[in-house]
Amino acid sequence: MSGGFVVAIDGPAGAGKSTVARRVAERLAFALVDTGSLYRAAALLASRAGVRLEDVDGVERCVVEAVDAGRMVLVSGEGGRTRVHLDGIDPGDALRTPEVSMGASAVAAYPGVRSALLAPQRAFGRTQGVVLEGRDIGTVVFPDAALKVFLTATPAARAQRRCDELRAKGVAADYGVTLAEVVQRDRQDSERAIAPLREAADAVRVDSTALGPDAVVDRIVALAEARRAR
Ligand code: DC
């Protein structure tokens, strides 16, 4: 019904992108791609291969080889949600540790990693309605997306949400440490030379600091439906 209709949801860590993107995709009956999982998988893959994450060439080679060989792929999962698989296995919560979060932010600055991950992301937008969440979807991956949303919130609100998420999974989390990580990741993600976190000129900015997920989802679905009806 919605071939090629792309909804891009970009924004900093902890703005609520994952929950919002998942619910928007469900409401629109679109596929969902969490592009951060690819960068997380890249960091995990390199560290499992014994490559130091500061070794730009080593990490780039490792990721390019894995993508080319089909060892790192995005697969359609339950309810249209895509999952990243490494060597045929979904790494699950191993992608969500604080070490992998920091590692993903580091390797996401490497040009060879970013270019290797473009094709798997774009493959999902050609034929179907899809929601992609990330940092550069509206600026680089799908600059012609039908709807671009920049979802943001204050660093304090984002750190609190990350803590709550980790604690809900039984992982101990310290607010001060989490806030420092949020600020550091923002800096790394915004200051990198290639595809930095940046709002597209034609994005709709949504601030979730004081808005619950229901209100954010309603707003994005309404925008998508209005554009689809054009
Ligand atoms: O959304 P996330 O926290 O899972 O993303 C993990 C890291 O990957 C984040 O620090 C920035 C990077 N990333 C990126 O550079 N571009 C994307 N499209 C998605 C994530």
Side-chain angles (χ1 to χ4, degrees):
M1 85 180 162
S2 19
F5 192 103
V6 171
V7 178
I9 303 183
D10 291 307
K17 291 193 303 290
S18 306
T19 308
V20 164
R22 178 171 42 76
R23 289 175 49 188
V24 168
E26 278 165 12
R27 289 261 300 269
L28 296 171
F30 279 14
L32 171 69
V33 182
D34 158 17
T35 63
S37 67
L38 284 167
Y39 294 91
R40 289 171 179 274
L44 185 62
L45 178 85
S47 52
R48 282 182 178 170
V51 177
R52 284 180 316 105
L53 296 188
E54 304 77 50
D55 173 1
V56 181
D57 290 346
V59 172
E60 288 184 340
R61 203 173 317 120
C62 182
V63 173
V64 168
E65 277 170 15
V67 172
D68 286 352
R71 294 179 43 230
M72 179 168 159
V73 289
L74 274 179
V75 297
S76 293
E78 208 184 313
R81 264 174 261 161
T82 54
R83 307 282 308 176
V84 60
H85 281 193
L86 290 180
D87 292 316
I89 295 168
D90 182 341
D93 284 344
L95 293 178
R96 303 272 143 208
T97 65
E99 294 73 32
V100 169
S101 298
M102 293 309 284
S105 174
V107 305
Y110 303 165
V113 170
R114 300 204 73 85
S115 58
L117 298 181
L118 275 178
Q121 296 176 77
R122 287 183 175 150
F124 271 87
R126 299 229 162 81
T127 53
Q128 58 188 330
V130 64
V131 177
L132 294 103
E133 56 131 327
R135 303 292 191 287
D136 61 339
I137 309 304
T139 49
V140 175
V141 183
F142 284 105
D144 57 350
L147 173 62
K148 301 178 186 180
V149 173
F150 194 80
L151 185 61
T152 189
T154 60
R158 294 188 281 121
Q160 190 59 56
R161 280 181 205 152
R162 267 290 183 226
C163 277
D164 294 347
E165 255 171 46
L166 288 169
R167 287 176 188 152
K169 286 185 190 151
V171 180
D174 177 84
Y175 172 77
V177 172
T178 310
L179 178 60
E181 283 174 0
V182 163
V183 170
Q184 189 190 335
R185 277 222 282 160
D186 280 0
R187 194 176 316 120
Q188 274 178 209
D189 294 343
S190 319
E191 291 179 358
R192 66 176 177 232
I194 176 165
L197 171 64
R198 173 166 68 71
E199 189 171 347
D202 52 350
V204 179
R205 187 185 185 88
V206 179
D207 187 328
S208 71
T209 306
L211 277 186
D214 289 347
V216 174
V217 170
D218 285 349
R219 171 116 200 265
I220 298 174
V221 168
L223 286 164
E225 282 173 345
R227 293 196 187 189
R228 248 197 312 179
R230 268 186 199 166

